[in-house]
Amino acid sequence: MALVGNLRDLKLPNLIQLNCMERNSAKLTIEHAGKYGMIYFHEGQVVHAEFDPDIGEKALFRLLGLPEGKFKVENGVRAPMSTISTHWNNLLLEGLHQLDTMHASGEGKDRRLLEMFMSVKGVRRAAIITREGEIKKGDFQDDKEFALQALSFYEAEKISGLLKKEKSQFITLVTQSKRIILTEYDKDIIYLDIEAKYQLETILPFIEQVLI
Amino acid sequence: MINRWLKEITDIAGVEGVLLVSDNGHIIEKIGTQLDQGTLEQIARRILRIITAHNLDEKSVKEIELICYNYRILAMSAKTFTIITFCGSIRALSLLRITVNVVVGHLIEDKKSMKQIGKYTGQPEIVLEKEYLDQLEIKLISKLQ
């Protein structure tokens, strides 16, 4: 019978430790914001991890950063491949060290936020841009696009002012090739590029969840 | 005819008003909204500014949505006009989208409506002219050219 629960109640490092100390061979599936991550154990060692688009240690470290998510442990499931050879003890130490370093710096806060957006199913790219259209944090550069979306955000703010409403919570734009969500973050703007096949209505609740 | 089609949109529960705007921000028709003409013109111009700026970068915008908690503005754009819908709390958002899409399609196909819209179209770049922009807008638009 599978063990199921939520990472809010049982933290992932404890879950990994438990499976390794019990010398389990199992598959651990984690569902967070509509996206799935997997960690495979073989005779008490972590041998493989996946969290779209990453595999191996990078995927595992990203999974360690998830604050919550439903999990399921299925015993006796074999890994489809082996991408991790580091001892589980060292893996956990390295993963937790990376998280601590990220939390300690302001930059880490932004990075972690973007990681969380990237873990939402359907989010293709995420960035934090300034109101002047410059990139503040993100893994891609598109000066024209950022200027364009900073302008869109600015116009939307002005419209909210004209309507005497609260500031716009979200601005969504659908172009021929893209779906974009913009939202305020401190004094900056969060820019999310959404895969065309996803409805913005289905993504927005997950985005709100990350922002909370 | 235009009025009849726009009424299809305002008949949806939660819709407070609808505007038909030309590509240069001129309000061709309005139904239902309590906002004054000056405010509506400014809103229309700002939405058209987003659309025209995207065109500068060769990215045609089909849809813009501003979500302020329980209030939404939905703008759907065709080549020469945009329909702007103001909504309070709305349950049937999908129905609204489909209806606006259908109305856009009908207007494009209806020669009389297009002739009427055509009287007001042209020079969409007017919404990007410096005399209407503040410093930040000028700076951002200069990065697109």
Side-chain angles (χ1 to χ4, degrees):
Chain A
M1 192 178 147
L3 169 69
V4 293
N6 197 298
L7 296 181
R8 271 196 306 260
D9 309 315
L10 184 56
K11 299 290 173 209
L12 186 55
N14 296 338
L15 206 48
I16 292 173
Q17 201 170 20
L18 187 75
N19 277 286
C20 293
M21 291 182 79
E22 293 287 323
R23 300 191 57 78
N24 276 353
S25 292
K27 175 189 178 186
L28 164 60
T29 308
I30 297 160
E31 192 248 315
H32 171 79
K35 241 179 182 175
Y36 289 87
M38 271 80 72
I39 300 172
Y40 290 87
F41 303 90
H42 181 67
E43 294 176 356
Q45 286 299 324
V46 177
V47 291
H48 177 58
E50 296 175 16
F51 193 34
D52 190 38
D54 298 314
I55 59 165
E57 291 188 7
K58 194 173 176 193
L60 183 81
F61 295 155
R62 279 181 57 216
L63 287 167
L64 281 169
L66 294 179
E68 65 95 41
K70 289 177 194 165
F71 71 77
K72 182 165 82 172
V73 182
E74 296 165 279
N75 281 317
V77 180
R78 290 176 70 93
M81 62 180 98
S82 178
T83 52
I84 298 175
S85 55
T86 311
H87 191 275
W88 69 268
N89 234 331
N90 296 335
L91 267 180
L92 278 186
L93 283 174
E94 175 57 25
L96 295 174
H97 172 70
Q98 283 191 15
L99 279 179
D100 284 346
T101 312
M102 259 177 26
H103 287 163
S105 64
E107 191 182 323
K109 186 183 155 208
D110 292 349
R111 167 63 54 199
R112 187 169 148 72
L113 186 72
L114 290 184
E115 287 280 345
M116 286 171 73
F117 281 124
M118 287 301 292
S119 72
V120 175
K121 197 172 187 178
V123 175
R124 193 162 55 175
R125 296 188 298 179
I128 299 171
I129 59 175
T130 67
R131 282 163 189 272
E132 286 75 34
E134 308 287 340
I135 183 145
K136 189 178 174 194
K137 181 65 68 186
D139 292 332
F140 66 105
Q141 189 73 36
D142 191 340
D143 294 342
K144 273 191 175 181
E145 173 69 0
F146 292 153
L148 191 54
Q149 299 317 334
L151 177 72
S152 303
F153 192 83
Y154 183 72
E155 300 301 334
E157 273 193 330
K158 291 285 181 187
I159 292 170
S160 302
L162 286 165
L163 292 167
K164 299 181 179 68
K165 298 280 178 192
E166 290 178 83
K167 276 185 185 175
S168 293
Q169 193 186 4
F170 294 108
I171 296 124
T172 66
L173 294 111
V174 178
T175 70
Q176 274 168 341
S177 58
K178 276 184 179 176
R179 285 164 189 263
I180 305 292
I181 296 176
L182 306 171
T183 189
E184 190 175 40
Y185 172 63
D186 289 340
K187 288 177 183 168
D188 300 312
I189 304 160
I190 287 169
Y191 169 99
L192 302 170
D193 179 356
I194 309 298
E195 285 179 42
K197 65 180 177 181
Y198 289 94
Q199 288 295 317
L200 294 170
E201 279 82 15
T202 59
I203 303 259
L204 283 175
F206 294 124
I207 302 298
E208 276 184 283
Q209 203 180 322
V210 171
L211 287 166
I212 292 164
Chain B
M1 186 62 98
I2 289 177
N3 195 285
R4 203 193 97 196
W5 284 118
L6 296 187
K7 190 131 187 348
E8 294 280 329
I9 301 170
T10 53
D11 281 349
I12 297 171
V15 172
E16 293 179 1
V18 64
L19 299 182
L20 176 70
V21 180
S22 72
D23 58 357
N24 54 31
H26 182 91
I27 297 173
I28 301 168
E29 191 77 67
K30 65 173 177 179
I31 300 184
T33 174
Q34 300 297 312
L35 294 163
D36 63 73
Q37 184 71 14
T39 304
L40 291 175
E41 279 171 6
Q42 285 193 63
I43 291 171
R45 202 175 302 137
R46 290 192 182 278
I47 286 176
L48 264 295
R49 195 166 289 148
I50 297 174
I51 293 167
T52 312
H54 275 78
N55 289 340
L56 275 186
D57 202 24
E58 292 171 356
K59 290 168 180 160
S60 165
V61 181
K62 292 197 291 188
E63 196 181 310
I64 302 168
E65 200 169 328
L66 274 59
I67 306 166
C68 314
Y69 298 91
N70 58 357
Y71 195 83
R72 284 170 191 258
I73 296 179
L74 175 69
M76 280 203 188
S77 180
K79 200 173 177 185
T80 54
F81 66 89
T82 297
I83 292 178
I84 302 172
T85 310
F86 300 90
C87 329
S89 178
I90 191 151
R91 287 185 190 155
L93 195 58
S94 300
L95 174 66
L96 174 65
R97 280 181 202 288
I98 292 167
T99 307
V100 179
N101 248 324
V102 168
V103 171
V104 168
H106 279 300
L107 289 177
I108 290 171
E109 281 173 18
D110 181 49
K111 282 183 184 169
K112 272 188 180 174
S113 299
M114 287 310 287
K115 195 175 171 186
Q116 196 179 338
I117 291 168
K119 288 178 192 167
Y120 303 98
T121 57
Q123 292 185 294
E125 61 283 353
I126 198 164
V127 294
L128 299 181
E129 280 184 4
K130 281 185 181 175
E131 58 185 290
Y132 301 115
L133 306 176
D134 63 26
Q135 287 305 311
L136 182 59
E137 289 168 317
I138 291 170
K139 187 178 170 185
L140 291 169
I141 289 167
S142 71
K143 291 184 182 182
L144 306 176
Q145 287 158 338

